[in-house]
Amino acid sequence: MSDADETTGEMSDGLQVELFHPESDREPGDTNIQKFGFDIHPVVFPVALVIIAAFIALTIGLGDQASSAYTAVFNFINSTFGWFYILAVNLFIGTILYFAFSKYGNIRIGGVEAEKEFSDFSWMAMLFSAGMGIGLMFFSVAEPMWHFGSSASDFMVVPPAFDAAGGTGAAANAAMAQTFFHWGFHPWAIYGLVGLGLAFFSFNRGLPLTFRSIFWPLLGERIYSWPGHLIDLVTVFATLFGLATSLGLGVAQVNTGLSFVLGDTLGLVSIPTGTIPQVLLIAGITAIATASVAAGLDGGVKRLSTINLYLMFALLAFLLIVGPTVYIFGTLADGLGTYLGNFMNLAFFTGTVGGAAALGGYTVKGWMGSWTVFYWGWWIAWSPFVGMFIARISKGRTVREFVLGVLFLPALFSFLWLSTFGGSALWVELQGGGGIASAVINQGQTIAMFSMLSKFPLGAVSGLLATLLVITFFVTSSDSGSLVIDHLTSGGKHDVPKVQRIFWAVTEGAVAAVLLIGGGLTALQTAAITTGLPFAVVLCLMCYTVYLGLDNEYEILESEAFAERIQDMTAEGDVDVVTAGDEMVTDVRDDDATSSD
């Protein structure tokens, strides 16, 4: 998180408050209960806590039956609502592109007097860092290898949208295109929609930085009653289980990485893999996350975030240098071409027609559930976390600038990362003697990254670096995620007791551990698409409420009252007014600030 934490949602003085802010005497957390060192919303916090406790108790109580229950829920949602996920995410990307290229694109987040809190370079750098995480570390090699296909596994098959024989160059191209699709523009459209809604209603309307505020155009003051409580509760569960999915995947990869590097590669110590070691790792890494929370924003998560960036670029640069450099950039170009050339087919493919047809060990419909539907549910569940971060750093930018930056910059970085790691793995399989696919078949997807790195010089060192990177991402995700959930369960307050964030960091680790015990990867996938489903409905409504908010802003900007106010400010002097092509005012700044620029 950033320094914007301290200013987000504050009602700035001046023109924006006078003409744009709704009339309300409510303040964030004004009904909170403050006891036992906690500062909590009287409804959202206890209800969320009871349901989370019930989930943990039920999963533990079901024992061995939990895995079957998760599988049944997963299959039901995939077969019944997979089409809804596909259409919803396409709605999101269409909506934010409309906002960017319509008359609303010139509206400035924070109002016409708002100034950018971060330079363009710093903003872009933070967007790049937002695009990285545990998931990209886990799947950057595993997913292309899985889609590459192998005759030795019924489940490693070429995606159904492509007609290519497994294990061939055509299959490699299809694998990269499908991976680009899952990590490209669609997930960032989700994050962009959420970030824009949060930023607009916080900075332009002075409302609390919570999801209930986005529904002010429909609910008005009722955002502070049960309709608003339900919206924030759905958001809490989506965030918690989306985060738990990432933490569960991350700890599984850490377990495999330590075992592979320290045991199989260096022969220093034999580290077992499985549920129990992973639960113990969750406990240990969660303890580190708790220490990070206790260290505070400046001493904890900011420092670790900086370390993340250095480790990330070190690992990327290392593989670009020692790996098949020319092949990597060729993979990037080929993958992008295939992805963009098949964009509409990939975007709307549901697998419904012929969905019962066999696709290796899957049906076509089953493959969609394990990959695309899971991803869309995961991204939707993850969107409050990423969206709130993006909202915090984007004050002062126009809607068009915001959308284009959020939609394209992180996606392009993800393409480079996927091409470097996934492309290197495909090169090994096609030209370097192979061995990665067989490792994935025998030991699972968690081995993919480390098996690939072992094929290049200093494989043990790079493997340890990758493991350390996953651990630091785990810690920063847990720390920042606890901040988001804490924010939601405290009525939108920014300054809450530190013990409260520690509580949520521990809770996130506990939920991830319970999911691993209850059903492993299937349980993690089920958690993502189950909690993502109701939140997808919330996001569909959000498209409309953000439109209403932007339209109202545009009407005020075009109103006589606003024009008269601008004339008065101009007559008083010392201001510089900037207008768009349609003469709509987009920026009002002091002359001193303009000249200093």
Side-chain angles (χ1 to χ4, degrees), residues 286-306:
T286 299
I288 299 174
T290 301
S292 175
V293 171
L297 188 63
D298 290 320
V301 68
K302 276 190 175 181
R303 186 173 299 169
L304 282 172
S305 297
T306 303

Side-chain angles (χ1 to χ4, degrees), residues 75-97:
N75 290 336
F76 171 75
I77 292 177
N78 175 45
S79 61
T80 309
F81 296 104
W83 64 270
F84 173 70
Y85 270 123
I86 300 300
L87 290 181
V89 177
N90 284 303
L91 170 66
F92 303 153
I93 196 169
T95 298
I96 67 162
L97 286 174

Side-chain angles (χ1 to χ4, degrees), residues 10-69:
E10 292 180 359
M11 298 181 67
S12 59
D13 295 331
L15 189 62
Q16 198 66 23
V17 174
E18 180 182 338
L19 295 179
F20 294 85
H21 283 196
E23 295 183 4
S24 176
D25 58 358
R26 298 296 302 268
E27 295 289 338
D30 56 6
T31 61
N32 279 11
I33 298 173
Q34 298 176 352
K35 284 187 177 181
F36 310 112
F38 283 70
D39 186 353
I40 61 174
H41 189 277
V43 176
V44 177
F45 184 94
V47 172
L49 194 60
V50 167
I51 295 176
I52 292 167
F55 160 77
I56 292 175
L58 183 62
T59 300
I60 295 175
L62 284 173
D64 295 338
Q65 296 178 333
S67 180
S68 299

Side-chain angles (χ1 to χ4, degrees), residues 477-529:
S477 296
S478 177
D479 195 342
S480 300
S482 65
L483 178 66
V484 171
I485 297 174
D486 201 17
H487 196 73
L488 293 167
T489 56
S490 64
K493 292 187 72 172
H494 296 284
D495 298 321
V496 292
K498 196 171 292 184
V499 66
Q500 208 160 303
R501 284 180 62 190
I502 293 174
F503 170 82
W504 284 116
V506 173
T507 301
E508 291 155 8
V511 171
V514 167
L515 287 170
L516 284 173
I517 294 171
L521 179 60
T522 300
L524 296 172
Q525 291 178 318
T526 303
I529 70 168

Side-chain angles (χ1 to χ4, degrees), residues 237-254:
F237 295 131
T239 305
L240 180 66
F241 287 98
L243 186 61
T245 299
S246 296
L247 300 184
L249 293 173
V251 79
Q253 192 173 29
V254 169

Side-chain angles (χ1 to χ4, degrees), residues 416-445:
L416 175 61
W417 183 276
L418 291 166
S419 298
T420 302
F421 289 84
S424 295
L426 291 170
W427 178 84
V428 169
E429 290 300 306
L430 289 169
Q431 302 180 26
I436 302 175
S438 60
V440 172
I441 292 169
N442 294 327
Q443 301 178 60
Q445 295 176 354

Side-chain angles (χ1 to χ4, degrees), residues 100-345:
F101 293 106
S102 67
K103 61 184 180 181
Y104 307 121
N106 290 319
I107 293 175
R108 188 171 300 279
I109 296 172
V112 293
E113 294 178 295
E115 296 181 3
K116 296 177 181 178
E117 296 184 342
F118 301 96
S119 68
D120 291 342
F121 179 81
S122 296
W123 185 67
M124 289 188 289
M126 285 186 281
L127 288 180
F128 281 132
S129 66
M132 270 300 298
I134 292 173
L136 203 51
M137 288 294 296
F138 187 96
F139 285 109
S140 58
V141 177
E143 184 173 357
M145 290 308 306
W146 206 259
H147 299 333
F148 179 58
S150 172
S151 59
S153 172
D154 290 336
F155 292 95
M156 294 178 67
V157 294
V158 178
F162 297 93
D163 184 17
T168 64
N173 209 24
M176 290 308 303
Q178 187 73 46
T179 306
F180 282 0
F181 171 60
H182 289 152
W183 292 87
F185 302 127
H186 279 75
W188 285 99
I190 301 171
Y191 302 152
L193 175 65
V194 172
L196 179 61
L198 287 169
F200 177 81
F201 284 98
S202 177
F203 291 128
N204 292 62
R205 293 294 179 267
L207 295 169
L209 189 67
T210 62
F211 277 78
R212 66 176 71 205
S213 297
I214 301 176
F215 292 84
W216 177 272
L218 291 180
L219 300 175
E221 288 281 350
R222 287 182 296 165
I223 67 169
Y224 297 107
S225 59
W226 269 104
H229 302 339
L230 289 174
I231 291 168
D232 277 354
L233 279 168
V234 171
T235 308
V236 168
F237 295 131
T239 305
L240 180 66
F241 287 98
L243 186 61
T245 299
S246 296
L247 300 184
L249 293 173
V251 79
Q253 192 173 29
V254 169
N255 187 195
T256 299
L258 293 174
S259 176
F260 182 82
V261 176
L262 298 181
D264 299 346
T265 304
L266 298 177
L268 297 177
V269 60
S270 177
I271 297 178
T273 58
T275 302
I276 299 302
Q278 289 166 17
V279 170
L280 293 175
L281 281 169
I282 286 178
I285 301 174
T286 299
I288 299 174
T290 301
S292 175
V293 171
L297 188 63
D298 290 320
V301 68
K302 276 190 175 181
R303 186 173 299 169
L304 282 172
S305 297
T306 303
I307 294 173
N308 276 353
L309 285 175
Y310 286 129
L311 292 177
M312 174 184 68
F313 284 115
L315 189 61
L316 179 66
F318 170 78
L319 194 56
L320 279 171
I321 293 170
V322 305
T325 307
V326 175
Y327 189 90
I328 287 170
F329 286 109
T331 300
L332 174 63
D334 288 343
L336 271 176
T338 305
Y339 165 48
L340 296 176
N342 292 273
F343 185 84
M344 297 303 291
N345 183 37

